[in-house]
Amino acid sequence: MSASWWRTDAVVWSAGEWSFELRGDELAEIRHHDAIVLRGVRAAVRDRGWQTVPVLVTAVTAEPDALTVSLRHEGLGALLDSTLRATVHGGELMIAWAGVNQIGFDACRIGLVALHPASDSGRPAVVVHTDGAAEDVVFPGAISPHQPIRDIRELRLDDVVLAFHGDVFEMEDQRNWTDASFKTYSRPLALAYPYRVDAGEAVRQSITIRASGAQRGTRAIGADVIELRPAGAFPAIGLEASTAPDPVAATDLGAFRVVELDLTTPTWPAALARAAADGRPLDVRLVTRGTAQELSAVTAALSEVEVLRITPFDSDEHITTAGLLGATRAALATARVHAPLLAGSRSHFTELNREQARIPREVDGIVVNTTPLFHALDTEQLVEAVAVQRLIAEQSVRIADGRPVHIGPVSLRPRFNNVATTPEPGPGRADLSEGYGAQFTGAVDERQTSAELAAWVVASAAASAVPGVATLSWFETTGPRGLEGTPAAEAIAALEALAGGELLTGPSPDGLIWAIGSRRDGADTVLVANLDRIERAFSVDAASVALAPGTWSRITRR
């Protein structure tokens, strides 16, 4: 497997009844008697634009009952030295973070973050608030648009008690961003941000975990069986147009092109022309202030190309608002452009979930996007996100209420920062010699060219293709965020070949093995993928499959 896919520096530390895996700066998979209690704990520093300040592990000291990790958060105008120390006392594990800020800077968050596994969904708990009052709560089943638990001093979960000290903590449902976790963090979002942190200011926080008895296991039952069922038409498969600098070669990969035209920049006419040159119909996303001038210019240009559908997004809010939809509809009518008009969210499912009451429904479909590497960059995060993509697809279909759902373009890292508190960089010229869009505002990931990404794309399609999803799209055609010439391009071609048939879909039993198929003329073609670290033998509708780690394959049967 590619060195860039799975990390090789993780080590397991254990003492008494407790163990966890040290993954860089994170204490991951915290277990009591081998059952996962927390998905992970880490110290997070976010700058004024919610960007994560890079962290360096400067030393690790292991003792029989304690592990100390020395950290330096440095970059984005911040410099903070600290120690993260885990100490075991019988059935108690204390994780304490102590640090001193070296440079005054503006931050949005500084504190410990505890990740609860997604398997806690539906789990009852008792929260003890900072005033000592206790309240019965339940971890949400459906993805919660807002903080499900606030003002946390203590969480009581069966035989586990988690106590938080050093600040006021609250919880958010990170499945909104395809993280397989619920996150308990400090400094409530109701407080103003960014806020000033002075040089010499100290931070001290701790999480104490007390456990007794046997904990709930997380291993799936029947984890070697996938059952597929017919579910309507197989979704169309597309790619985003390249945002890389010229020259960019045309490609015929994918059945359609998603092209995002930021009407507040001078490059959008060139971006439209280059996307149309691929000879594929266009799924057009408009980023606009909604002015008559912007909409009149773009609708006139759209009358000259083949357009499948159009979705306008407010350039500040990144969703479709009622006013913007009305203005776009009027401009299209004036230009005599006849294409389905859609609404939705440009960045994450989070915005669709939170703003669904504001997003218009008098439309021909709903658009939603996901980005698996928003909060963390580990491959573990990338793999775990796939199962959550299925939850997001199913919940998006429910929100759409009978309207077709269009998912994508999915990218490994965010295509832009939707929570930026300062203007993002952009092109200053009308041609594409510097590129446009994500070329300025997005990040490049080395796993884009890895062999394992092909299996991930198949798994992502298997997770996202649920009844009601009309199209799926990923990445870009070419360039640093592109698929042309990479192993994943073959996976896209294989998925595209399934279009026109009847979708065969089913959930993964454990989030690591996946299958998706198409039925046509009495024959089934099924793509299978293994995202596990080890070889897996399993069955898909009674057909036996054996796959090496990080690979995919095609099965044909009658």
Side-chain angles (χ1 to χ4, degrees):
M1 301 182 72
S2 302
S4 62
W5 191 253
W6 292 111
R7 67 183 312 141
T8 58
D9 62 343
V11 295
V12 175
W13 182 85
S14 63
E17 304 167 4
W18 296 90
S19 67
F20 56 77
E21 190 173 281
L22 180 61
R23 298 177 185 165
D25 64 309
E26 180 185 19
L27 312 184
E29 296 192 9
I30 298 172
R31 297 174 182 266
H32 181 250
H33 289 312
D34 202 38
I36 291 181
V37 176
L38 285 177
R39 166 65 181 79
V41 171
R42 74 191 329 154
V45 179
R46 315 285 192 209
D47 80 342
R48 64 173 294 112
W50 286 105
Q51 296 185 87
T52 299
V53 175
V55 57
L56 175 67
V57 176
T58 59
V60 177
T61 304
E63 305 167 54
D65 61 354
L67 184 76
T68 303
V69 184
S70 299
L71 303 172
R72 167 162 282 200
H73 289 83
E74 184 174 12
L76 302 174
L79 176 59
L80 190 148
D81 292 314
S82 65
T83 58
L84 184 65
R85 181 174 174 84
T87 308
V88 170
H89 298 286
E92 179 179 287
L93 172 65
M94 171 181 264
I95 301 171
W97 186 46
V100 177
N101 186 47
Q102 304 296 328
I103 302 174
F105 78 107
D106 293 334
C108 284
R109 176 173 298 153
I110 299 177
L112 285 176
V113 169
L115 302 180
H116 310 263
S119 58
D120 278 348
S121 173
R123 187 177 187 179
V126 174
V127 58
V128 179
H129 298 298
T130 53
D131 63 0
E135 179 186 4
D136 291 330
V137 294
V138 177
F139 281 69
I143 301 172
S144 176
H146 302 290
Q147 285 75 8
I149 308 176
R150 302 174 191 264
D151 188 22
I152 301 170
R153 177 54 50 82
E154 192 172 276
L155 275 176
R156 299 171 181 172
L157 306 145
D158 302 327
D159 296 326
V160 174
V161 176
L162 298 103
F164 300 86
H165 300 283
D167 204 339
V168 178
F169 286 74
E170 64 186 17
M171 181 187 292
E172 69 183 9
D173 193 336
Q174 286 210 134
R175 296 176 300 172
N176 278 291
W177 297 271
T178 66
D179 299 54
S181 60
F182 303 90
K183 179 171 71 179
T184 298
Y185 58 91
S186 65
R187 189 171 176 91
L189 289 178
L191 298 179
Y193 62 84
Y195 59 97
R196 189 68 180 173
V197 184
D198 294 326
E201 190 169 335
V203 57
R204 291 184 180 275
Q205 295 184 6
S206 66
I207 302 172
T208 301
I209 311 169
R210 296 187 294 273
S212 61
Q215 307 305 317
R216 304 187 337 165
T218 58
R219 176 67 177 171
I221 303 301
D224 298 325
V225 177
I226 298 177
E227 295 182 355
L228 302 178
R229 59 182 177 84
F234 196 93
I237 303 298
L239 295 179
E240 184 175 14
S242 176
T243 64
D246 273 338
V248 168
T251 176
D252 59 2
L253 192 62
F256 63 90
R257 290 287 171 270
V258 177
V259 58
E260 185 173 271
L261 306 178
D262 188 341
L263 306 186
T264 70
T265 69
T267 53
W268 72 260
L272 176 62
R274 193 168 77 179
D278 268 358
R280 292 289 188 265
L282 302 181
D283 178 332
V284 178
R285 315 287 173 88
L286 304 178
V287 180
T288 174
R289 292 164 292 203
T291 65
Q293 181 180 7
E294 287 179 356
L295 293 176
S296 176
V298 75
T299 52
L302 293 178
S303 67
E304 304 297 324
V305 297
E306 183 181 2
V307 177
L308 284 173
R309 49 195 162 265
I310 300 167
T311 312
F313 298 116
D314 182 274
S315 56
D316 292 324
E317 297 190 77
H318 311 300
I319 62 169
T320 309
T321 63
L324 178 58
L325 184 74
T328 305
R329 181 173 279 128
L332 290 170
T334 299
R336 298 184 179 179
V337 174
H338 304 288
L341 191 58
L342 283 61
S345 64
R346 176 188 173 216
S347 52
H348 307 280
F349 171 74
T350 318
E351 282 65 48
L352 178 66
N353 201 17
R354 290 178 176 173
E355 304 292 347
Q356 55 184 287
R358 295 180 58 213
I359 294 175
R361 303 307 172 88
E362 300 77 27
V363 290
D364 301 302
I366 295 295
V367 169
V368 65
N369 200 358
T370 69
T371 299
L373 300 177
F374 180 64
H375 288 114
L377 300 180
D378 296 330
T379 293
E380 290 84 0
Q381 166 79 16
L382 182 59
V383 169
E384 291 171 356
V386 175
V388 187
Q389 286 180 349
R390 191 169 190 88
L391 293 178
I392 283 176
E394 292 170 340
Q395 197 158 327
S396 297
V397 168
R398 291 196 294 272
I399 291 172
D401 193 23
R403 300 163 186 82
V405 171
H406 303 265
I407 297 178
V410 177
S411 56
L412 291 185
R413 300 202 195 184
R415 297 160 57 250
F416 69 101
N417 181 9
N418 72 305
V419 291
T421 57
T422 56
E424 291 215 272
R429 52 199 309 171
D431 63 31
L432 298 183
S433 59
E434 299 175 320
Y436 71 98
Q439 181 67 23
F440 288 87
T441 61
V444 177
D445 195 291
E446 63 179 355
R447 285 163 292 194
Q448 191 76 42
T449 58
S450 67
E452 293 85 358
L453 187 63
W456 188 89
V457 168
V458 171
S460 176
S464 302
V466 301
V469 172
T471 71
L472 298 170
S473 57
W474 292 267
F475 311 124
E476 297 181 11
T477 54
T478 60
R481 288 162 295 278
L483 289 187
E484 188 67 39
T486 72
E490 185 180 350
I492 291 291
L495 287 165
E496 187 182 353
L498 300 184
E502 183 177 26
L503 170 66
L504 303 175
T505 183
S508 166
D510 62 0
L512 297 173
I513 54 174
W514 292 89
I516 181 173
S518 177
R519 177 170 294 165
R520 184 188 296 137
D521 300 328
D524 293 349
T525 302
V526 177
L527 307 183
V528 291
N530 174 21
L531 301 184
D532 209 339
R533 295 172 181 257
I534 60 174
E535 181 177 343
R536 293 291 297 272
F538 54 100
S539 67
V540 179
D541 293 343
S544 297
V545 178
L547 284 179
T551 64
W552 68 281
S553 185
R554 182 189 290 106
I555 302 170
T556 303
R557 62 194 184 193
R558 289 189 176 274

